[in-house]
Each structure stands twice: as C-alpha cells, then as structure tokens.
Amino acid sequence: MSTVAEIHSVINQLAPFSLSMDFDNTGILVGDSHRTVECALLALDCTSQVIAQAVQCGAQLIITHHPIIFHPLKHVTENDLVYQLVHHDIAVISAHTNLDIAAGGVNDVLAAAISLQDCRGLEMVDPTQEAWLGRIGKLSAPTDAVSFAKAVKGALNAVSVKFVDGGRPIQTVALCSGSGADCLDAAIAQGANALLTSEVKHHEFLQAAEAGITLLDAGHFDTEDIVIEPLRQILSEQIQDVRFFTCHHSRIQAI
C-alpha cells in the first residue's frame, strides 16, 4: 500500500517541489508521511467542505493546489481546519507554485483549455532550473476582445470574465493562472495582444488599456481548478493501489 511519502515522491516527479517560489509553502503540510493511503481526494483548496467529503469517502490524504498552511499559525483549536485534519487523521500535500511552473502543470492545462498553440514560458523565475511563470502562445486565428472573453468563459466554465479591451486584434495570448497581473509587463514585452489571469486590480486594467493590450480576469478558482482532473488521472495511472477522487467546490458566486 502506498504511503503519503510515496505519493509525495510521485508528485515531486511531476512538479518538482524545488520549483516552488520563495514565498510559498508546499509539500507534506499536515500528517504522518508514513501513513498508508487507500483513498485520496484532490481539490484546489482544503476547505471544511473538502474535509467533510474526505471523511465521507474514507480518504487518508487530501492533495491541494493552495497550501492549507500559508501564514504562521498562532493557535489550533477545534474550529480550525488543521485541527479537523489531525482529528480525522487526514494528511495534506500541497503543490502550489511548483505545479504552476512545471511542464504539464496549471499553466499548460490552462493554455490547452483555450487552444493556445506553440506555447513557451512567459517570465523566467529561476534560470538554474529553466523555470518559467506563465505561458505565451498563439490562437489559430485572430479574434476580438469580446469574442475571446466569451470563448474563455465557455472553455473554463467560468463564473464570470471581466476584461478591458486593448483595441487590437488578439492572436498572441499570454496567461498566468491565479493571481498573475504582475506578468503584465512581461506580456507586453513579449508582444502579447492579451493577458489572461485573475485578481486584476483597477489600475492594472487601466494600465493594460493604455498599453493597448486586452487584459482578462477569469477568476482565481476557474483559471486553476482545471488542473485537478488531469492531475487525478495522472496519479491514478501511476499509483494504482490508491483510489483518487476530486472535489470542485467553490464558494464564489456571481449574479
């Protein structure tokens, strides 16, 4: 029977934890690395709903993209998620920026979802490991901002897509899953007609419009949750003595 540590090792081969950015917190964040695993649940975040589903399906491990522990903990009480995990003897592995950066990770899945071709890295974050944040590629044909925003919304099944029209035809597209508006300058420098990301601030929309680049905010959850099913499939193929399930619950709604 596979252990938490062995599953961590397989994830490390897919998305090396050494790629994690300095601010990040990844790896085995809760639980016993020697714990045997019969069932594991994959989700973008470790929420109370995800823990409840893990308990219901008898999971010994939750695998998330966002770290369950990101800032230092000052206390752990009965209402805290970490307490619930320890209480139910459920371990957590979090693969965050390493999964964003890795080949075949979040950004490559996002690029495939919107049918980008000839993709390459957008912004170098670690020359020693050839680690790139974001991707840039081309659409098969030029399009306009409204049509592209509609296509992105449909491809990601996104709750909403906010955008500013750069006023130019769109064919070269940069993207950065999650909160990636900081990549705007890199996208402009590499000749992108559009940047797809999330959590865009008001002044960043204005900056993009002045620079003549379409900037789209498709939501943090919807630009990243798309990696969960492909990751489940890969892990199921490589670790056949563990049953892998997924949870796609988001509390974010729009009207």
Side-chain angles (χ1 to χ4, degrees):
M1 188 67 65
S2 296
T3 66
V4 171
E6 289 167 342
I7 295 171
H8 175 274
S9 179
V10 172
I11 296 173
N12 187 55
Q13 294 171 20
L14 300 171
F17 288 96
S18 62
L19 294 175
S20 301
M21 299 180 75
D22 291 343
F23 65 84
D24 208 0
N25 189 30
T26 60
I28 302 172
L29 302 187
V30 177
D32 182 352
S33 62
H34 301 292
R35 176 85 153 95
T36 57
V37 179
E38 297 179 3
C39 175
L41 182 66
L42 285 78
L44 193 70
D45 301 281
C46 187
T47 64
S48 55
Q49 287 85 356
V50 170
I51 295 173
Q53 183 172 332
V55 172
Q56 184 176 17
C57 70
Q60 297 82 33
L61 172 66
I62 296 173
I63 300 169
T64 69
H65 180 48
H66 294 140
I68 179 61
I69 301 172
F70 195 71
H71 300 292
L73 297 176
K74 295 185 177 181
H75 53 75
V76 177
T77 63
E78 68 274 10
N79 294 321
D80 296 323
L81 296 176
V82 172
Y83 180 94
Q84 295 177 35
L85 290 163
V86 174
H87 176 72
H88 292 291
D89 197 14
I90 299 174
V92 176
I93 297 173
S94 297
H96 190 207
T97 51
N98 57 312
L99 189 59
D100 289 322
I101 292 168
V106 187
N107 283 290
D108 284 332
V109 173
L110 179 58
I114 64 170
S115 302
L116 279 193
Q117 303 168 358
D118 303 321
C119 290
R120 63 184 189 275
L122 176 62
E123 186 172 2
M124 176 72 78
V125 292
D126 186 349
T128 65
Q129 299 189 80
E130 282 293 314
W132 293 82
L133 186 64
R135 300 291 186 266
I136 185 168
K138 289 187 176 295
L139 300 173
S140 59
T143 188
D144 60 87
V146 173
S147 298
F148 185 53
K150 289 180 178 179
V152 166
K153 188 175 188 294
L156 303 184
N157 194 27
V159 172
S160 65
V161 175
K162 297 187 295 182
F163 69 96
V164 64
D165 189 343
R168 301 173 184 175
I170 297 169
Q171 187 162 23
T172 301
V173 176
L175 59 84
C176 183
S177 60
S179 180
D182 287 347
C183 292
L184 181 58
D185 287 340
I188 294 170
Q190 293 212 36
N193 312 124
L195 170 64
L196 169 61
T197 186
S198 75
E199 297 190 12
V200 178
K201 297 177 181 179
H202 179 74
H203 76 274
E204 292 165 336
F205 276 123
L206 298 183
Q207 178 187 349
E210 292 296 328
I213 181 172
T214 296
L215 179 57
L216 304 98
D217 184 333
H220 201 126
F221 183 89
D222 292 319
T223 60
E224 294 190 327
D225 186 63
I226 54 170
V227 79
I228 298 301
E229 288 298 336
L231 182 58
R232 181 204 62 78
Q233 183 174 350
I234 293 171
L235 292 176
S236 295
E237 292 171 354
Q238 296 197 20
I239 310 171
Q240 297 185 4
D241 63 350
V242 176
R243 293 175 293 120
F244 291 94
F245 297 92
T246 57
C247 180
H248 299 280
H249 181 269
S250 173
R251 290 180 167 175
I252 300 169
Q253 302 178 57
I255 59 171

